[in-house]
Amino acid sequence: MSLSLSGERPDPPADAADGAWLACIECGATYAPFEEIRYTCDSCDGLLEVRYEDNPALEDFGDEGDQRGVWRYADALPVESGVSIDEGDTPLYEVPTIEEEVGVADLRIKHEGMNPTGSFKDRGMTLGVRVAEKLGVNRLACASTGNTSAALACYGARAGTEVLVLLPEGKVAAGKVAQASLHGARILEVDGNFDACLDIVSDLADRGEAYLLNSLNPFRLEGQKTIGLEILEQFRDQTGDFPDRIVLPVGNAGNTAALYKAFRELVAAGSLDPEEVPALTGVQAEGAAPMVEAIEEGNDEVRRWEEVETRATAIRIGNPVNAPKALPGIRETGGTAVAVSDEKITDAQRALARDGVGVEPASAASVAGLRKLRESGDIDADEQVTCLTTGHLLKDPDAAAAAGADPEPVPADTEGVLDLLE
Ligand code: F0G
């Protein structure tokens, strides 16, 4: 079963709930969405995705008038409402200096760092934690490079459910650990990288110890799909067109998969022609680039990197679990993938800050990737581009302080300050 842009539309299974069900992307097996806990296919272990009998058109969103952010798109989601603290509806910024320097027709930044907990993860959690309530689970868990744990801790607290997070010791930015801690999650520091944390938490979930809210969970990606819907609407409002390309940082490739799914559903609804679908362009750090390797080598499978390292700790991931959904997304939309150095990531973080957009390092990878692909000629000067920035500057205060200028000590009098300003 291929994840193509204009795939055939099978009939809904008899156990669909309100026109939604789960389907295996490999063998096509279908499951009722809310009856049992399941993360992958029973028969072939393939990834699952939510499918719908009807896909709403872009024009249909917002006509009920009373729902905002992620829940403005409720008709494209498998439940009507979430455990919500007003996630989504993030700004799409102009960045004139970078646009001019990079040399593209239009450049906008979709700043997901402006979500309630400071990253796009909130979009998935509002939905995922509501589904957990429907399933009646009593412990939520995730492995995380930081942002997922912050969001899960917050939404779990809101829902009054116990939260367990597994973090790679010493490799999670300070703001994120602080959030998980204050929102009351139980934090386990694992002597291993993110991929090892995810192996363990997946095991715990399979043994029924906790409900898994990593992006392997298909409901999370439904919430994240709304990033793609918002980008299309906002870009068209601002420029009159849809963007030709969306450049985004890639870790587990959940967003790449989710955006592609949003566009496939809009094609099915007749809102987008397949040629209008933005080219999904993934960016990884050089020290953690298994998706880039697979795209460059034309492989159908991604080789797990055991050793990964980058200053952009959010995307310090060697085994992108959503690759089977994301690789077709990159290929079918005419996109590509590129790796950037930590130095270029920091340069891009500074450039964004100069245009007034404060992001964490992983987010800046998108702009670093755009720069690199413009230099190589893979992105044309006449393209209209959106870069996704996934997390807020304050998530990683140490990286921000290291990239910025140092404070200067002065004596406590005006003359002393004036002397220094001379
Ligand atoms: N950017 C930020 C700031 C992230 O936190 C993540 C993932 C990504 C990009 C990559 O997104 O996985 O959809 O390709 N962070 C996860 C976490 C892994 O645990 O917070 P992806």
Side-chain angles (χ1 to χ4, degrees), residues 283-287 310 338-345 364-366 368-370 372:
V283 187
Q284 295 193 299
E286 276 173 358
T310 168
V338 68
V340 292
S341 69
D342 281 3
E343 289 66 39
K344 297 289 186 192
I345 288 174
S366 60
L370 169 65
K372 186 166 176 181

Side-chain angles (χ1 to χ4, degrees), residues 195 250-251 282-297 299 301-310 315-320 327 337-341 372:
D195 304 297
V250 173
V283 187
Q284 295 193 299
E286 276 173 358
M291 282 280 291
V292 176
E293 179 181 78
I295 289 287
E296 283 178 352
E297 295 180 1
N299 302 334
E301 274 173 28
V302 172
R303 182 179 68 86
R304 176 173 176 147
W305 287 23
E306 294 300 337
E307 301 293 325
V308 280
E309 203 49 84
T310 168
I315 51 172
R316 187 174 171 275
I317 293 174
N319 186 33
L327 284 174
V338 68
V340 292
S341 69
K372 186 166 176 181

